[in-house]
Amino acid sequence: MSTFISRRSFFPAILFPAMLLAALLCVPGLAQDSQNSDDIGVKPIYVTARIFQLKARRGSYPEVNGQVFRMKTTSLASDEKWLNAFTKTYPGLETSLLRTESKRVFRTSKPTVLSLVKQPDGRAVEIQMFGAQSPGDGTTPGTSLIPEISLHFGNDLVQKPVTYAIQPLEIESGMTYFFAVSSMKLSSSDYVKFVRPNAPVEAFDGNDIYLVFSFSVDLEKSGQPARYYDERQSAGLQEQATKKVQPEISSALRDARLGGFIRVRVEIAPDGKVAAAMVQTSSFPELNREAVAAARLWEFPTTLFAENKTPITGFLTFSLSAPAPDRKEPGSKE
């Protein structure tokens, strides 16, 4: 049975965040209209949004709260550092990255939208990010980032989305802010419907799953590395590899019939070896660690650096199909 609260019983909790957001965006001088704003209004906030999952056996972990945590982004420079930070913050729960995406957010009433997974029927976990100018210290204006987390059930005209969290964040450049949505605890069926549509529900029975939303902020222009290969260019780069290693899938994951894809962001040094690797996007989070370990073993031709010794930043994508269910031949016996 779903753990979500019904729309009727949840209405007061929905109404308050909506009123809060409206109030924040209507404060004089807080929201900026793009047609008559100054440099602060038109200058975007560069945000790298990440969505993680927390998973644990039901009843085996301390209560999860919605407190906002902040850390310097430079202290979260690897998957290991992210996971260590979450292990301390959310003890007893296993953390995995699901999605990373860089967005520009403007100080207007128009949000920047990011969906975790949008199903063909319209189901989605969605983040709307609003930017606003805040009072700051009373002398120098500050900046607010206002993420709104909503659950969409399909056709929004038929069934209204449920808003689970609005977190006004007073932000600084170079900082990362993250929080769990404690009221959005997912059962196995909810998790599959909204996050893992092709996974078997029984693989997650007995688990509670929460989502953590993280926002790394840069108030100045955040440029790409000097030699950056986008996802399309990275497909060609991946073909050129001289050494390719695939993630090892445990027998337990095979038996659970799980699959999906994992995209790993890599930095390739002039010697052709991978100097750094981090998960970028994953629909198979149980295999994230193995995908990063495999990516670190890939090698590329040094001819890529014959004329330019600058490291290359690109992506390796691992597609891992779930084993097909065993089929018995007609007339076969147990």
Side-chain angles (χ1 to χ4, degrees):
M1 183 177 179
S2 172
T3 59
F4 285 130
I5 303 171
S6 70
R7 288 178 61 220
R8 179 176 297 178
S9 64
F10 200 63
F11 179 76
I14 302 171
L15 181 62
F16 175 72
M19 292 173 65
L20 172 63
L21 181 60
L24 284 168
L25 292 176
C26 290
V27 173
L30 192 61
Q32 296 287 330
D33 181 77
S34 59
Q35 293 182 345
N36 57 14
S37 58
D38 55 16
D39 290 342
I40 291 180
V42 299
K43 188 176 182 181
I45 306 165
Y46 296 91
V47 179
T48 298
R50 294 177 176 86
I51 305 173
F52 296 83
Q53 69 174 37
L54 301 175
K55 183 175 72 171
R57 298 297 296 178
R58 191 165 299 129
S60 68
Y61 58 91
E63 182 180 354
V64 173
N65 63 52
Q67 180 181 349
V68 176
F69 298 88
R70 51 175 277 163
M71 297 183 67
K72 289 185 177 179
T73 303
T74 52
S75 66
L76 299 166
S78 67
D79 281 354
E80 291 80 7
K81 291 182 177 180
W82 275 102
L83 297 180
N84 287 340
F86 284 157
T87 297
K88 294 176 182 177
T89 307
Y90 307 108
L93 291 112
E94 178 186 348
T95 306
S96 302
L97 177 74
L98 299 175
R99 177 86 184 267
T100 304
E101 189 161 339
S102 295
K103 292 284 191 178
R104 295 188 304 167
V105 180
F106 292 88
R107 298 164 180 83
T108 72
S109 57
K110 183 177 180 180
T112 297
V113 179
L114 169 63
S115 294
L116 173 54
V117 179
K118 192 161 188 178
Q119 313 299 342
D121 64 359
R123 291 180 188 268
V125 178
E126 184 179 274
I127 308 172
Q128 293 192 79
M129 293 179 284
F130 298 84
Q133 182 179 329
S134 72
D137 60 10
T139 302
T140 304
T143 302
S144 292
L145 178 70
I146 309 167
E148 175 184 326
I149 315 300
S150 300
L151 197 69
H152 294 254
F153 297 90
N155 187 336
D156 289 348
L157 298 177
V158 176
Q159 187 168 2
K160 297 296 184 183
V162 174
T163 299
Y164 282 89
I166 294 176
Q167 289 281 14
L169 308 173
E170 184 74 8
I171 57 174
E172 298 177 33
S173 194
M175 298 298 295
T176 291
Y177 307 81
F178 63 87
F179 57 88
V181 181
S182 56
S183 59
M184 203 170 86
K185 180 168 66 176
L186 305 177
S187 68
S188 55
S189 59
D190 293 326
Y191 177 63
V192 168
K193 286 177 184 176
F194 289 93
V195 181
R196 304 281 292 277
N198 298 317
V201 174
E202 57 271 18
F204 309 103
D205 284 345
N207 291 295
D208 288 335
I209 301 168
Y210 298 86
L211 298 180
V212 176
F213 300 88
S214 165
F215 306 92
S216 298
V217 176
D218 193 340
L219 297 179
E220 301 300 327
K221 186 171 183 180
S222 182
Q224 296 289 4
R227 296 187 71 183
Y228 175 79
Y229 286 49
D230 61 22
E231 292 174 12
R232 181 184 61 80
Q233 294 168 322
S234 291
L237 178 67
Q238 189 162 342
E239 290 296 320
Q240 296 181 61
T242 56
K243 181 180 179 181
K244 302 179 180 180
V245 178
Q246 292 297 312
E248 294 185 9
I249 305 178
S250 69
S251 58
L253 290 179
R254 290 186 182 278
D255 292 344
R257 305 195 183 284
L258 295 175
F261 79 94
I262 304 171
R263 182 170 293 119
V264 180
R265 177 171 171 144
V266 296
E267 181 182 300
I268 305 167
D271 62 1
K273 297 182 179 181
V274 172
M278 290 183 69
V279 173
Q280 182 78 7
T281 307
S282 175
S283 64
F284 195 175
E286 295 82 5
L287 209 66
N288 282 1
R289 291 178 185 267
E290 290 79 1
V292 170
R296 286 172 174 161
L297 298 176
W298 280 52
E299 296 181 7
F300 296 83
T302 55
T303 52
L304 290 169
F305 301 91
E307 298 179 0
N308 188 342
K309 300 299 182 183
T310 303
I312 294 173
T313 297
F315 301 95
L316 301 180
T317 300
F318 301 100
S319 296
L320 305 142
S321 300
D326 295 330
R327 292 185 178 180
K328 298 177 183 177
E329 295 295 329
S332 64
K333 297 181 180 179
E334 293 291 340

PDB file of all heavy atoms in Angstrom, residues 29 51 59 62 66 132 174 213 296:
ATOM      1  N   GLY A  29      10.972  44.174  -3.879  1.00  0.00           N
ATOM      2  CA  GLY A  29      12.426  44.112  -3.994  1.00  0.00           C
ATOM      3  C   GLY A  29      12.973  42.710  -3.940  1.00  0.00           C
ATOM      4  O   GLY A  29      14.151  42.501  -4.183  1.00  0.00           O
ATOM      5  N   ILE A  51      19.937  14.970  -7.461  1.00  0.00           N
ATOM      6  CA  ILE A  51      18.910  14.240  -6.736  1.00  0.00           C
ATOM      7  C   ILE A  51      19.501  12.898  -6.315  1.00  0.00           C
ATOM      8  O   ILE A  51      20.015  12.142  -7.150  1.00  0.00           O
ATOM      9  CB  ILE A  51      17.653  14.018  -7.592  1.00  0.00           C
ATOM     10  CG1 ILE A  51      17.124  15.355  -8.131  1.00  0.00           C
ATOM     11  CG2 ILE A  51      16.565  13.320  -6.772  1.00  0.00           C
ATOM     12  CD1 ILE A  51      15.995  15.218  -9.123  1.00  0.00           C
ATOM     13  N   GLY A  59      12.332   0.517   9.509  1.00  0.00           N
ATOM     14  CA  GLY A  59      12.522   0.413  10.941  1.00  0.00           C
ATOM     15  C   GLY A  59      13.953   0.271  11.399  1.00  0.00           C
ATOM     16  O   GLY A  59      14.206   0.116  12.599  1.00  0.00           O
ATOM     17  N   PRO A  62      17.440   5.902  11.976  1.00  0.00           N
ATOM     18  CA  PRO A  62      16.884   7.028  12.742  1.00  0.00           C
ATOM     19  C   PRO A  62      15.925   7.839  11.873  1.00  0.00           C
ATOM     20  O   PRO A  62      15.984   7.792  10.642  1.00  0.00           O
ATOM     21  CB  PRO A  62      18.117   7.867  13.110  1.00  0.00           C
ATOM     22  CG  PRO A  62      19.283   6.961  12.917  1.00  0.00           C
ATOM     23  CD  PRO A  62      18.898   5.996  11.845  1.00  0.00           C
ATOM     24  N   GLY A  66      13.751  17.205   7.681  1.00  0.00           N
ATOM     25  CA  GLY A  66      13.911  18.052   6.503  1.00  0.00           C
ATOM     26  C   GLY A  66      14.878  19.197   6.678  1.00  0.00           C
ATOM     27  O   GLY A  66      14.816  20.178   5.920  1.00  0.00           O
ATOM     28  N   ALA A 132      15.448  34.862  -6.389  1.00  0.00           N
ATOM     29  CA  ALA A 132      14.917  36.113  -5.857  1.00  0.00           C
ATOM     30  C   ALA A 132      16.035  36.904  -5.207  1.00  0.00           C
ATOM     31  O   ALA A 132      17.027  36.333  -4.728  1.00  0.00           O
ATOM     32  CB  ALA A 132      13.812  35.852  -4.841  1.00  0.00           C
ATOM     33  N   GLY A 174      29.684  29.267  -4.344  1.00  0.00           N
ATOM     34  CA  GLY A 174      30.643  28.266  -3.892  1.00  0.00           C
ATOM     35  C   GLY A 174      30.124  27.358  -2.802  1.00  0.00           C
ATOM     36  O   GLY A 174      30.874  26.537  -2.267  1.00  0.00           O
ATOM     37  N   PHE A 213      17.607  16.397  -2.157  1.00  0.00           N
ATOM     38  CA  PHE A 213      17.793  17.376  -3.225  1.00  0.00           C
ATOM     39  C   PHE A 213      18.951  18.288  -2.847  1.00  0.00           C
ATOM     40  O   PHE A 213      18.983  18.855  -1.751  1.00  0.00           O
ATOM     41  CB  PHE A 213      16.507  18.164  -3.438  1.00  0.00           C
ATOM     42  CG  PHE A 213      15.354  17.288  -3.830  1.00  0.00           C
ATOM     43  CD1 PHE A 213      14.554  16.699  -2.863  1.00  0.00           C
ATOM     44  CD2 PHE A 213      15.088  17.032  -5.166  1.00  0.00           C
ATOM     45  CE1 PHE A 213      13.503  15.871  -3.214  1.00  0.00           C
ATOM     46  CE2 PHE A 213      14.033  16.201  -5.524  1.00  0.00           C
ATOM     47  CZ  PHE A 213      13.241  15.620  -4.553  1.00  0.00           C
ATOM     48  N   ARG A 296      37.293   4.270 -13.998  1.00  0.00           N
ATOM     49  CA  ARG A 296      38.647   4.688 -13.650  1.00  0.00           C
ATOM     50  C   ARG A 296      39.715   3.823 -14.313  1.00  0.00           C
ATOM     51  O   ARG A 296      40.892   4.202 -14.347  1.00  0.00           O
ATOM     52  CB  ARG A 296      38.820   4.668 -12.129  1.00  0.00           C
ATOM     53  CG  ARG A 296      38.100   5.824 -11.436  1.00  0.00           C
ATOM     54  CD  ARG A 296      38.105   5.680  -9.935  1.00  0.00           C
ATOM     55  NE  ARG A 296      37.540   6.871  -9.289  1.00  0.00           N
ATOM     56  CZ  ARG A 296      37.078   6.906  -8.050  1.00  0.00           C
ATOM     57  NH1 ARG A 296      37.119   5.813  -7.285  1.00  0.00           N
ATOM     58  NH2 ARG A 296      36.584   8.023  -7.553  1.00  0.00           N
TER      59      ARG A 296
END
